[in-house]
């Protein structure tokens, strides 16, 4: 019995010496602070063993896949996964090029469902493709847009130009040849922007850009290029869009809110022409209206409040969008963001993992509000723009925001007649 007790005692002494020795090594190698005994916040129970085999205080570590890694000493062994929003081992991470910079994510996330593609031995994002004018051809391969041709018939990119002498052309009205046609550019087209504002406007007034998707109802509607010719204007240009069945996208140059209001008749006339010539947007189920606001008009805390309003008032946002909730989740999902996540996004003016969210921050120069259902009704069209401007101004001028405060702000303004009418009509 005495020998057993003596053996256990000897083992305890050896274990204690081993622990003391490891503590000394941990201090020498920077894993444990010299004053670790004086830590008033954390006690001995908060000492952890890192995956490298040293002791450290848990608040000096990050958790990586179930292991403790020292935040400084092991910083070469881990990275932050931007998609899964957690730390991962560098050995399991891939770098994804975005065109401006890039981000790390777990190897398992490098799939097309996450808008990540392999190109020339590297991983690239959809942002990278847009920035460098790359597209997927009809075979799924990534190609330079200058090397392929877009076919309207199947909304795909091909090696050869599309043959325009098809049956559709034979069915067109004889008058088509006498009509003016406008160029409908590829989806990746980026013209030099023309900024429109009133001569007496403040130089810090925000600029708004509008994207409106339209569909031809049936083959009796005017062909795309002739429809574009009827509404061609210096204020906008036209693009193809693969998400549309038989339509195109109208994209405005940047304009101030006051400029849009003064040119409302231009929009009214064009929307009427689209309806008269067999086009729709609201009932197409494929169309949306997106509104861009210049990022440089937002400070960090202004953008934080703007984003927070969407998170805290989802039911109101869904009503304003005029979309069904399932469509909103698919094309413009309102993310469940914590305060810290909102602050992170506001500081970076970025931070979205995907484009199909209510407020897309992935564009370089603009914030994009994606919630609105497409419309060819001028009242709904202006209501959407009024909402974007009203929320921009309200969250800029008020540090404490609320839905009631926003509605009062709208009521007291003379600028938002269409928005007021909609809110009253829907009893929001």
């Amino acid at each position: 019995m005495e020998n057993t007790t003596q053996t256990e005692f000897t083992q305890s002494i050896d274990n204690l010496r081993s622990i003391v020795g490891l503590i000394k090594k941990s201090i020498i190698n920077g894993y444990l602070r010299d004053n670790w005994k004086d830590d008033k916040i954390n006690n001995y129970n908060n000492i952890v063993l890192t995956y490298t085999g040293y002791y450290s205080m848990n608040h000096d570590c990050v958790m990586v896949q179930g292991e403790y890694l020292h935040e400084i000493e092991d910083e070469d062994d881990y990275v932050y996964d931007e998609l899964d929003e957690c730390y991962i081992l560098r050995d399991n991470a891939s770098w994804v090029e975005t065109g401006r910079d890039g981000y790390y994510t777990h190897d398992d996330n490098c799939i097309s469902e996450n808008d990540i593609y392999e190109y020339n031995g590297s991983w690239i994002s959809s942002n990278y493709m847009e920035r460098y004018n790359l597209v997927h051809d009809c075979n799924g391969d990534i190609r330079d847009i200058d090397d392929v041709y877009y076919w309207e018939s199947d909304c795909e990119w091909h090696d050869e130009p599309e043959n325009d002498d098809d049956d559709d052309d034979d069915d067109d009205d004889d008058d088509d040849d006498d009509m003016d046609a406008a160029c409908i550019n590829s989806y990746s087209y980026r013209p030099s922007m023309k900024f429109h504002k009133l001569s007496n406007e403040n130089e810090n007034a925000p600029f708004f850009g509008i994207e409106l998707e339209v569909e031809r109802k049936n083959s009796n509607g005017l062909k795309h290029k002739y429809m574009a010719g009827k509404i061609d204007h210096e204020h906008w240009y036209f693009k193809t869009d693969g998400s549309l069945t038989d339509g195109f996208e109208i994209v405005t140059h940047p304009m101030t809110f006051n400029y849009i209001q003064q040119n409302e008749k231009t929009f009214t006339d064009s929307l009427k022409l689209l309806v008269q010539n067999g086009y729709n947007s609201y009932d197409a189920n494929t169309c949306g209206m997106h509104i861009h606001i210049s990022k440089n008009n937002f400070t960090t805390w202004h953008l934080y409040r703007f984003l927070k309003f969407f998170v805290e008032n989802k039911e109101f946002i869904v009503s304003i969008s005029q979309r069904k909730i399932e469509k909103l989740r698919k094309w413009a999902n309102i993310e469940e963001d914590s305060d810290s996540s909102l602050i992170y996004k506001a500081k970076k003016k970025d931070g979205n993992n995907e484009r199909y969210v209510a407020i897309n921050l992935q564009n370089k120069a603009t914030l994009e509000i994606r919630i609105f259902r497409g419309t060819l009704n001028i009242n709904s069209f202006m209501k959407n723009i009024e909402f974007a401007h009203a929320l921009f101004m309200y969250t800029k001028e008020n540090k404490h925001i609320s839905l009631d405060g926003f509605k009062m702000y709208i009521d007291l303004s003379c600028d938002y007649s269409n928005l007021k009418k909609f809110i009253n009509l829907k009893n929001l």
Side-chain angles (χ1 to χ4, degrees):
M1 187 72 176
E2 289 183 7
N3 289 338
T4 302
T5 304
Q6 186 175 3
T7 300
E8 291 177 350
F9 179 76
T10 303
Q11 289 175 342
S12 297
I13 292 295
D14 289 341
N15 289 338
L16 185 58
R17 286 172 179 165
S18 176
I19 292 171
V20 171
L22 186 54
I23 288 175
K24 289 180 179 178
K25 288 181 181 178
S26 299
I27 293 173
I28 291 171
N29 287 281
Y31 283 82
L32 197 59
R33 302 179 185 182
D34 289 335
N35 62 345
W36 65 276
K37 290 182 181 179
D38 302 327
D39 196 320
K40 303 300 183 185
I41 300 175
N42 296 281
N43 56 34
Y44 296 161
N45 293 328
N46 295 101
I47 294 179
V48 295
L49 189 65
T50 67
Y51 95 121
T52 47
Y54 294 105
Y55 287 129
S56 180
M57 302 303 289
N58 59 7
H59 60 281
D60 289 331
C61 296
V62 296
M63 181 64 77
V64 182
Q65 296 171 220
E67 299 276 4
Y68 286 101
L69 274 72
H70 194 274
E71 194 168 16
I72 297 173
E73 299 302 326
D74 296 328
E75 63 180 350
D76 292 335
D77 295 327
Y78 70 89
V79 294
Y80 189 72
D81 185 331
E82 294 286 348
L83 292 192
D84 292 333
E85 297 184 341
C86 64
Y87 292 105
I88 60 173
L89 293 174
R90 187 180 291 271
D91 289 343
N92 297 333
S94 291
W95 177 256
V96 181
E97 296 280 354
T98 64
R100 289 178 290 170
D101 190 8
Y103 60 85
Y104 283 103
T105 191
H106 197 282
D107 298 333
D108 293 343
N109 288 331
C110 293
I111 52 177
S112 58
E113 284 81 355
N114 288 327
D115 289 333
I116 299 174
Y117 311 96
E118 190 170 9
Y119 179 65
N120 288 343
S122 300
W123 294 107
I124 63 172
S125 68
S126 55
N127 277 0
Y128 183 97
M129 292 184 65
E130 285 188 25
R131 188 174 181 84
Y132 293 104
N133 295 324
L134 301 174
V135 295
H136 285 102
D137 68 12
C138 57
N139 298 315
D141 297 324
I142 296 176
R143 307 279 296 279
D144 190 295
I145 198 170
D146 293 332
D147 298 332
V148 287
Y149 300 87
Y150 186 79
W151 288 18
E152 282 194 3
S153 60
D154 63 4
C155 300
E156 298 277 7
W157 296 91
H158 296 261
D159 287 326
E160 303 295 336
E162 184 171 20
N163 181 8
D164 287 333
D165 300 326
D166 54 20
D167 293 337
D168 259 359
D169 286 340
D170 295 337
D171 295 336
D172 287 338
D173 295 335
D174 294 336
D175 294 337
D176 279 357
D177 290 337
D178 299 325
M179 293 181 184
D180 290 331
C183 176
I184 298 181
N185 303 280
S186 72
Y187 180 75
S188 302
Y189 176 67
R190 296 289 187 273
S192 297
M193 289 293 116
K194 301 173 184 176
F195 290 81
H196 299 281
K197 61 184 294 187
L198 301 182
S199 57
N200 60 347
E201 278 197 272
N202 188 309
E203 61 179 14
N204 295 320
F207 283 93
F208 294 79
I210 304 156
E211 298 173 358
L212 179 64
E213 296 163 339
V214 298
E215 290 268 23
R216 188 166 64 158
K217 289 183 181 179
N218 52 55
S219 59
N220 294 325
L222 198 61
K223 285 192 71 177
H224 299 169
K225 59 185 177 181
Y226 298 122
M227 185 67 254
K230 276 185 171 290
I231 60 172
D232 198 14
H233 199 280
E234 64 169 341
H235 288 158
W236 52 72
Y237 54 96
F238 310 103
K239 293 168 56 175
T240 59
D241 191 322
S243 67
L244 301 177
T245 304
D246 184 14
F248 60 94
E249 186 176 41
I250 304 164
V251 185
T252 73
H253 289 280
M255 308 175 191
T256 62
F257 180 67
N258 290 336
Y259 188 90
I260 293 171
Q261 285 186 313
Q262 288 223 355
N263 287 272
E264 183 176 338
K265 187 177 185 303
T266 302
F267 292 103
T268 302
D269 293 344
S270 295
L271 296 182
K272 284 182 178 177
L273 282 171
L274 283 159
V275 174
Q276 291 166 3
N277 287 277
Y279 281 74
N280 67 4
S281 187
Y282 186 85
D283 295 323
N285 292 321
T286 54
C287 297
M289 177 176 171
H290 305 163
I291 299 178
H292 293 252
I293 309 175
S294 42
K295 278 185 179 178
N296 61 9
N297 285 102
F298 286 94
T299 63
T300 294
W301 291 110
H302 180 191
L303 181 54
Y304 163 75
R305 293 190 292 270
F306 193 92
L307 297 172
K308 190 177 180 69
F309 186 90
F310 276 72
V311 173
E312 293 187 339
N313 300 286
K314 288 186 179 182
E315 188 175 336
F316 179 77
I317 295 298
V318 172
S319 298
I320 288 291
S321 76
Q322 294 183 264
R323 285 186 185 269
K324 294 180 179 178
I325 186 65
E326 59 269 18
K327 289 289 184 181
L328 200 64
R329 288 196 186 107
K330 180 178 180 181
W331 298 110
N333 186 44
I334 303 172
E335 296 178 293
E336 295 280 356
D337 279 318
S338 63
D339 251 24
S340 58
S341 177
L342 291 175
I343 293 170
Y344 171 78
K345 288 180 178 181
K347 283 182 178 179
K348 289 186 67 177
K349 293 188 178 178
D350 201 344
N352 290 142
N353 293 328
E354 55 180 284
R355 298 183 67 84
Y356 300 134
V357 290
I359 301 178
N360 171 32
L361 297 171
Q362 290 188 350
N363 299 305
K364 183 177 181 180
T366 66
L367 165 158
E368 179 188 19
I369 305 174
R370 295 178 51 87
I371 62 171
F372 306 108
R373 189 170 180 171
T375 181
L376 298 183
N377 180 298
I378 188 60
N379 296 321
S380 294
F381 182 87
M382 292 303 298
K383 176 266 294 180
N384 295 343
I385 299 168
E386 289 172 9
F387 169 78
H389 185 266
L391 188 59
F392 174 89
M393 297 304 298
Y394 172 68
T395 52
K396 179 181 180 180
E397 297 172 4
N398 295 274
K399 291 184 178 180
H400 303 289
I401 61 171
S402 67
L403 180 56
D404 288 340
F406 180 53
K407 288 192 285 189
M408 184 178 296
Y409 182 86
I410 294 167
D411 282 337
L412 295 175
S413 173
C414 300
D415 289 326
Y416 309 125
S417 59
N418 294 286
L419 181 58
K420 285 182 191 178
K421 184 177 179 180
F422 181 84
I423 289 173
N424 292 331
L425 183 66
K426 298 293 182 179
N427 197 27
L428 299 182

